[in-house]
Amino acid sequence: MLFSRRQFMCGATATVLSMPALMRGIAAEASGNLTLVTIFLNGGNDGLNTVIPITTTQYGAYSSLRQIPGGGGLLGYTEAQITAAGTAFDPNYLTPAASATTYAFHPNMTQLRAMYGQGKVAVLLGVGLPPVDPNRTDHAIAQFDWATGSVNKYGLANTGWIGQSFDQIGGAGAIPPTVSVNYSSPVILTGVKNSPLALGGDIGGFSVPCGDGGTDCTNRLLDLSTNNDYASNFMSAEFARSLAESTTTYVGVVKGYAANASGSTYPAIGNSSLRSQLKQIARLIQAGAPSRAYFASQGGYDTHSSQQNANSQPGLLADLSLAISDFYGYLAANGLSKNVAIMTYSDFGRRVQANSTAGTDHGTASVHFIVGDPVKPGVYGAYPDLTKLDANGNPLIAVDFRNYISDMVQALGADPTNIVGSTYPKLGYI
Amino acid sequence: MKQRLYFLVALAFISAAAPALANPKTFATTYVASAIPRGHAGADAGVDVAGGRYVRITASGSISMGTFGACGRATNPDGCASAFSPARVAAGAPTGSLIAAFTSASGALITSWATVGTGGYIAIPSGAARLVLRINGTTGHEPGAFRVVADVVTAAAPAASSASGVAQVGGVRRTLASMRSVGPSALSRSDVQYFLRRFGFSDTPANVTAVYKAGISSWLTQQLNPSSIDDSALSQYMEPTPLYGTGPSTMNGYDTFGNILQRQILQREVASKRQLLEKVTLHWLEHFSVSQDKVNDAGAMAHYEATVRSDALGNFAQLVSDIAVEPAMLYWLDNNNNNGANVVTSPPNENFGRELMQLYVLGVSQLNPDGSQVMNTSTGMPNQNYTEADVKQIAQALTGFQVQAPPNPGLVNPLTVDSVRFYNSRHAKGPFTIMGQTIVDTGDPTIVPKVINSLVNNPSTAPFQVKELLERFVTETPSPGYISRITAVWNANVSSPNQIANVMQAIANDQEFYSGKGSMVKEPIEYVVDAIRELNGAYATPFTTTMETPYNSDYGALGNMDQQHWYPPTVFSFYPPGDKESLLTNSLLLSRWSNGSSLSNDVRTTTLCATCDTNVDFTNLTALTGANTAASVTHYLLDALVDGGSPELQALMQNYLANNVKNVNGAVWMVLTSPEYEVN
């Protein structure tokens, strides 16, 4: 059973700080400069079609295993399609697409390809959960592993690797060091000393209504949530009370940030949830919010059937590429991109062989991106050999996910030893 | 004489294990009961009697319907003693009696509850550690205003002429923690409200009192057999089911029949008398969660929900077998058109097979009957229930089904549009071996119940399901003992057509059921539906097509709170079992605050609205709350919505209403945004 937030807040930890202090974060400025934006690709993104191997042997394996049964064609892209898209790339990021012979981004990820050529993208190949975790192909366990940077601790831990990093390096003060912009309060951002601030939707809309037509009832709600003796009798009420207190505390602060950065020149977000989330993050950064870790998520990657439909993986990756490019472009145009990095992660990759419903099932190794000015551009890890799959038809991982996380923990300014469990060699992507 | 014989036995018992006492001949302790504000659970008041032979209770005062006094548990409770002298009891106020029972050190009753006869000495039975005291009230509102003195005596025979209230030897004054008013089932009114919030969507104060008086077990017996409850009035408070392809004919007529079908779920939860059925149906809809976002077929979603409801209190294996071949489920987990004709070159997808095991039936890890994981002693890791090979086998076994969804069915009931066909030519050939069990395949749809029964009979299934039921209905930290006891009931009923009903009964009757009080936060659906029912918004006005559709704005509120019935965000439903607090984050709390006002805005204090979707009738404050005052309205709202709440909330509301007692909507909103209201 997962520890609930309530247990954590009501004294499951050895040191119990007063609730307002917990919610407001540690007063000291966090050390280090990096602002991390994590994008979770929810459902297990098929890495094979995100970065396609175009060397002869690899592409041969890819195109034969990815034939959709019943003559459905290729669950992937032909060489002609890849050439036409212009998304091919080599480990040397300066090689233009027309001359590249090693890999290709998904044809819809043209903006990411362009950013790669400008030296803003590190591609991490063959990253995934290790075989020592027998449940690495189940969503719940896999997502938990990634969030906590651990294996086989499902139900036994309640803090995530980003939260633990900020436990070490300190928090922001005005608002917590970690902020989620998709309504949820994810474990990955939760530390012992800090809970993330959970925003959703437009940060300007983060306000406190009244029930009788009045416009701003922050004070009334603050009255209700402080000094509430009832709450001391019931843990659930205490949880609600302290959450209410922290929320009313942050409302004014967040509204201030929203007012300072209207984001009116941000590119249109259409009806894309991801683009909306990244826009909110950009506005907070622009307004000078001191938080250093943001979390956004994009759903729909569990493509067991009809994976090549335009609104399935192709549409998601198009959205992802555009969202990242718009976000970076906005920050760069405002001189704010120097210390901001994006990293993606997902539950797992997917099966090499296409299934009978033109989709793919849960797999292992996948591809992820780190994007921004701080990255050291190029290719890291290794593309799994598609002719040497394991007994379940999955590629062998080249990079343990904890190794991926370890580099980023250090980039934030924290020591990874007690977070991902051992010291991994530096990959060097940032 | 029996008593003397008992006395001799008691003497022998006591001398065998006599504690060291300062005065070996007699000692006495006196206790004073103080009043506590309503709504606080508190422990039973009691007197330690271990080591004593006789106890005498002297009590003065009586229970009354008094308002909150100045004393509460935060102030010195002894200061309350003088507040409850008989002169302060309101004339004509209902009274009750003091009842007591002896319990063992573990709290188990040794004698049954009986009215305390004051003045005489009662022999303390063997094994008794405490004499527990309660107030036997008539409505459950009584705050408890007895002044109780208890003398515990170890002497062979009590002194005949000891004055009441005076310790026999060096007494110690102690204040009892609390006194609870209890009804026929020896449950307090607060317990009854808790019960109705968990096993239903709560109820009006008047209905809570009715259940309190009749006793919980008669309510439960009826609710466990929903067809025994006449629910014919329900159709007056629900929109009618539209025909496929039509829009609605309401005032606001812009809507799709899909939205109507969704609102019907909310309308049913609010107004159905079969409350336990609706609550358990909601549990299964959350457990076997399916999202319209992917299914994209409103008739299929509504049919799925109807199937779940018809099996909700029945047999679990039957429930799973039925939903496995529902069109909505076939779409949701990609088993529609899953082709097993050639599993090597065209492997079937594994989505349904895997999630059926992982999420729906038995979970990832092997479980003991008490819910703990079975650990592999050499690796130190939990044993897994299934391997990747099992996933492939079960995926193959469940192939061959296809939804038949005719594009132009005409003006028919949308729930009847889709059907399901099985194609043996697309079905992988068995036999199949799943988790060590071989399943014979006859190439027809009976493969489904065969596979399901195999999964259901796995020993991990019962604790997996029971733990989740307890986490939903009782406590997010169920004890291993509780899980074990209910698992035994689950297993004993595995072939019964009333399996789930029997399990729910066992959950409610378990000694640990009330341990869950105050331990969970409300889901958004509970947040909304409970409030409507508690304020009697459910039956305000029968629905007519000239009105706004019932609870339309509340249905929208659920969307903003991220819990619309048909839109669980992922395969993990709205929240992981045991973690309802993930439904409360800063922004989701703001959503509750702002959307809770969609209900408070429905409160009418002048005239009812003839066309509004909900009317919460507060037009006659005196009739409803006893008076036309800030105090009476506050008192009523706090009782209805939060079982009393805190003195702080009460003070805020009374100050607010003192400006204008008709601003009931603002006061309601204060309660809905309080931490108290978040408590389930």
Side-chain angles (χ1 to χ4, degrees), chain A residues 1-7 23 42 67-70 132-135 137-141 143 152 154 156 182-185 196-200 205-213 217 220-221 223-248 250-251 302-306 347 351 353-357 359-362 391-394, chain B residues 39-41 73-74 294 333-334 336-340 343-351 354-355 358-359 364-365 373 381-382 384 386 388-389 392 467 471 476-478 517-521 560 562 570-572 576-579 581-591 593-595 597 600-601 642-649 652 656 663 665-666 669-671 673-676 678-680:
Chain A
M1 195 223 53
L2 291 169
F3 280 119
S4 66
R5 234 154 262 105
R6 171 195 62 217
Q7 286 177 301
M23 283 300 123
N42 192 330
Q67 290 298 327
I68 297 171
V132 73
D133 184 349
N135 302 118
T137 52
D138 280 319
H139 290 297
I141 288 84
Q143 291 182 11
N152 302 319
Y154 185 69
L156 302 174
N182 71 346
Y183 292 99
S184 72
S185 186
L197 174 65
L199 303 177
F206 193 71
S207 67
V208 174
C210 295
D212 60 359
C217 278
R220 195 182 296 173
L221 281 170
D223 285 341
L224 281 167
S225 60
T226 53
N227 304 318
N228 185 314
D229 204 18
Y230 184 96
S232 61
N233 283 332
F234 297 118
M235 291 284 269
S236 54
E238 173 55 31
F239 171 76
R241 188 205 65 75
S242 61
L243 184 70
E245 192 176 33
S246 78
T247 304
T248 46
Y250 295 134
V251 158
D302 193 25
T303 50
H304 286 275
S305 58
S306 305
D347 323 30
R351 200 71 49 76
Q353 184 183 18
N355 65 32
S356 73
T357 49
T360 52
D361 294 292
H362 298 180
N392 294 316
N394 286 317
Chain B
H40 290 263
R73 71 232 166 284
K294 179 172 175 181
L333 288 178
D334 298 300
N336 181 37
N337 274 327
N338 209 5
N339 193 332
V343 302
V344 173
T345 58
S346 173
N349 84 62
E350 299 166 4
N351 203 7
R354 181 191 298 274
E355 307 305 352
Q358 184 197 348
L359 298 175
V364 168
S365 308
Q373 291 176 329
M381 304 235 294
Q384 309 305 303
Y386 55 87
E388 291 297 288
K392 290 177 163 61
K467 187 157 179 257
E471 284 168 340
E476 293 181 317
T477 52
K517 256 179 122 170
S519 66
M520 302 202 294
V521 299
N560 290 322
D562 231 11
T570 66
V571 284
F572 301 129
D579 193 15
E581 280 137 25
S582 59
L583 294 166
L584 269 187
T585 65
N586 305 102
S587 55
L588 290 176
L589 186 62
L590 279 180
S591 292
W593 288 343
S594 52
N595 291 285
S597 66
S600 66
N601 288 339
V642 290
D643 190 19
S646 66
E648 296 79 12
L649 177 59
L652 281 169
Y656 173 80
N663 283 343
N665 58 351
W669 182 84
M670 281 181 152
V671 183
T673 54
S674 68
E676 287 94 314
E678 296 296 345
V679 174
N680 189 346

Side-chain angles (χ1 to χ4, degrees), chain B residues 105-373:
Chain B
S106 67
L109 287 178
I110 292 178
T111 63
S112 48
W113 292 97
T115 305
V116 171
T118 61
Y121 281 94
I122 309 161
I124 297 170
S126 163
R130 268 171 80 74
L131 177 68
V132 188
L133 298 155
R134 288 178 177 175
I135 297 173
N136 184 14
T138 53
T139 67
H141 281 113
E142 302 78 3
F146 277 107
R147 180 170 186 260
V148 174
V149 174
D151 297 322
V152 178
V153 178
T154 58
S161 62
S162 49
S164 82
V166 174
Q168 288 207 338
V169 175
V172 175
R173 286 212 118 187
R174 265 203 242 140
T175 306
L176 296 171
S178 66
M179 298 276 281
R180 291 191 297 164
S181 173
V182 297
S185 40
L187 296 174
S188 70
R189 193 168 192 289
S190 170
D191 292 333
V192 172
Q193 280 181 307
Y194 162 76
F195 190 99
L196 294 176
R197 271 201 317 272
R198 296 300 184 86
F199 268 47
F201 291 97
S202 197
D203 217 324
T204 61
N207 287 344
V208 170
T209 299
V211 175
Y212 172 80
K213 285 183 173 169
I216 278 288
S217 45
S218 68
W219 184 90
L220 184 60
T221 304
Q222 257 208 316
Q223 292 283 334
L224 287 167
N225 183 9
S227 53
S228 73
I229 300 171
D230 175 14
D231 214 17
S232 52
L234 175 60
S235 58
Q236 296 178 51
Y237 303 101
M238 283 178 62
E239 293 173 80
T241 300
L243 296 179
Y244 184 93
T246 61
S249 53
T250 66
M251 268 177 71
N252 293 337
Y254 58 89
D255 223 342
T256 64
F257 75 91
N259 281 344
I260 297 174
L261 292 172
Q262 287 182 74
R263 283 197 297 268
Q264 285 183 333
I265 312 177
L266 180 62
Q267 291 155 11
R268 193 188 292 271
E269 283 166 344
V270 168
S272 172
K273 291 184 165 56
R274 299 173 181 172
Q275 283 284 293
L276 179 62
L277 178 64
E278 288 312 307
K279 205 71 191 281
V280 177
T281 299
L282 180 63
H283 166 76
W284 294 126
L285 288 175
E286 295 193 36
H287 177 80
F288 298 108
S289 66
V290 170
S291 174
Q292 163 72 339
D293 212 24
K294 179 172 175 181
V295 170
N296 199 25
D297 184 334
M301 293 293 290
H303 189 274
Y304 173 73
E305 173 216 325
T307 297
V308 170
R309 179 174 294 105
S310 68
D311 288 340
L313 288 169
N315 180 278
F316 180 71
Q318 184 68 57
L319 169 62
V320 183
S321 297
D322 285 344
I323 65 171
V325 293
E326 281 283 317
M329 181 58 74
L330 290 168
Y331 287 139
W332 171 243
L333 288 178
D334 298 300
N335 206 32
N336 181 37
N337 274 327
N338 209 5
N339 193 332
N342 196 325
V343 302
V344 173
T345 58
S346 173
N349 84 62
E350 299 166 4
N351 203 7
F352 183 57
R354 181 191 298 274
E355 307 305 352
L356 184 63
M357 292 191 292
Q358 184 197 348
L359 298 175
Y360 286 174
V361 181
L362 71 160
V364 168
S365 308
Q366 287 182 12
L367 298 178
N368 292 307
D370 68 358
S372 60
Q373 291 176 329

